[in-house]
Structure formats: C-alpha cells, structure tokens
Amino acid sequence: FYSDEYIDLYVEAAKVTKNNIWLVNAAAIAAKNMDASNALIYKPDNFSAKDSPYFWAILEYDSENYVNAFQTLEYCENDINALQLKSDCLLRLNEIEMGNDFWISTIENQKEIPLEIYYNASKFSFNLDNYDNTHKLVNSLVQNFPYSERALSLYGNFCLQLQSFQNEKSSELLKDS
C-alpha cells in the first residue's frame, strides 16, 4: 500500500469519505522519492487541526516554503515539535528578532522546551551583548541540558566574554580615578 499505484486510490478515498487523512497517505508516497514539493499537491485546500498539520508543515519546510510552513503550524496546538519548526522557519526567513520574541515567549509559556529554542534565545542575547538576559538564559540552558556540548560551549564563551567585559570596565574605572 506504499507504492505510486495507490496514490490515485488514496485521493479518491479522501473525496468519497471527506477524510483528508487519505491525502497524507498519497503525499507520503509522493514524498518518498525526496520530492516534498510534488507531495504538496495533495495538501487539502480546507485545512484544520485534525488534518495532520505538522506533516504538511514539514513538507512545506522541506520545499523551502517557510511562510506556508509557519502558517500551517498555526494549526498545531502547543506541540513542542511544531514550536521548534516554527523557530526554524523564522530563522530561514531571517526574522531573527521575531524569532527571539518567539523563543522567549516559548520559554516563558511552555513546560518542556527543546534545546534548540533555549540555545537560539541564549545565542541571540549573547550576540547582542545583553549580559543580564544572557546570564539568565545560559544558566537555564545548562541547568536543563547539562550534558549538551553546545550548551556548555555557549556558557563557557559567555563567561569568557563577561570576564573580558568586567576587566575592561575595571580598567576604565582605574583610568578615570
């Protein structure tokens, strides 16, 4: 039931039953040859949360349709994988500040936060030299992911930069006195 000859049957089943899950089967077969954009022709026009939005969003993302992927993810209800993919869409769209707002909001409002969202928020804050916010974020990052090399590396880099910043401030204070 997973060959090209079944695609038309799945499309017809979706029409007859008015159940779009059959279109997921058709799209999955079309996508198996690594052609996500070809699989998107089966995406339903009338979309709802029960129509496997995460599946369709992944196809949109893999087809580099990041805006459509983000919009499709709106149908996912607080799914952590969907939140992570939304974050990736924002990065691909070069919406870094909007992405940061999204990451912070996710950290504040979700119980389980993926490493990537903590890391991205911490890295963005670090790159802006926002030491107070970075301190909070990297501490949470290493507390939640104590064995992550990326988390520990970012924490170490932050500590080194903070030490350098403090040394510069001390030098400036000594010069002024």
Side-chain angles (χ1 to χ4, degrees):
F1 300 109
Y2 197 66
S3 67
D4 293 349
E5 64 194 51
Y6 289 100
I7 290 177
D8 291 337
L9 291 171
Y10 289 135
V11 171
E12 191 60 32
K15 287 178 189 173
V16 170
T17 64
K18 296 183 180 17
N19 184 343
N20 289 332
I21 196 68
W22 294 106
L23 296 175
V24 170
N25 293 347
I29 293 170
K32 76 178 179 185
N33 297 325
M34 303 305 285
D35 186 5
S37 58
N38 186 39
L40 283 169
I41 64 173
Y42 303 107
K43 184 177 178 183
D45 293 330
N46 299 319
F47 206 79
S48 73
K50 66 178 182 164
D51 291 321
S52 304
Y54 186 68
F55 171 81
W56 297 110
I58 288 173
L59 291 178
E60 293 282 8
Y61 184 88
D62 288 346
S63 298
E64 298 180 3
N65 298 325
Y66 306 118
V67 171
N68 291 348
F70 192 89
Q71 291 170 344
T72 301
L73 290 165
E74 294 296 319
Y75 292 98
C76 297
E77 298 174 4
N78 283 332
D79 177 86
I80 204 67
N81 294 317
L83 293 172
Q84 195 166 335
L85 191 56
K86 276 184 174 181
S87 168
D88 289 348
C89 288
L90 291 169
L91 287 176
R92 293 293 186 160
L93 292 167
N94 208 26
E95 294 289 346
I96 308 300
E97 286 185 35
M98 198 166 133
N100 187 54
D101 293 342
F102 176 79
W103 302 320
I104 298 300
S105 172
T106 301
I107 290 169
E108 291 172 353
N109 297 311
Q110 297 294 319
K111 291 182 181 167
E112 291 185 34
I113 312 299
L115 167 69
E116 288 77 12
I117 289 177
Y118 264 119
Y119 182 84
N120 288 342
S122 301
K123 182 80 170 168
F124 183 76
S125 184
F126 178 73
N127 288 341
L128 291 178
D129 294 332
N130 183 338
Y131 295 115
D132 290 336
N133 197 39
T134 303
H135 183 259
K136 286 186 255 180
L137 289 167
V138 295
N139 277 332
S140 292
L141 179 65
V142 295
Q143 285 175 358
N144 287 291
F145 302 98
Y147 301 107
S148 166
E149 291 176 17
R150 287 177 35 195
L152 293 170
S153 175
L154 183 61
Y155 182 79
N157 287 334
F158 170 70
C159 290
L160 289 172
Q161 185 168 335
L162 186 60
Q163 182 64 43
S164 175
F165 175 75
Q166 289 172 337
N167 288 343
E168 287 175 21
K169 288 294 177 190
S170 294
S171 295
E172 287 176 18
L173 287 174
L174 289 173
K175 285 180 190 178
D176 292 341
S177 57

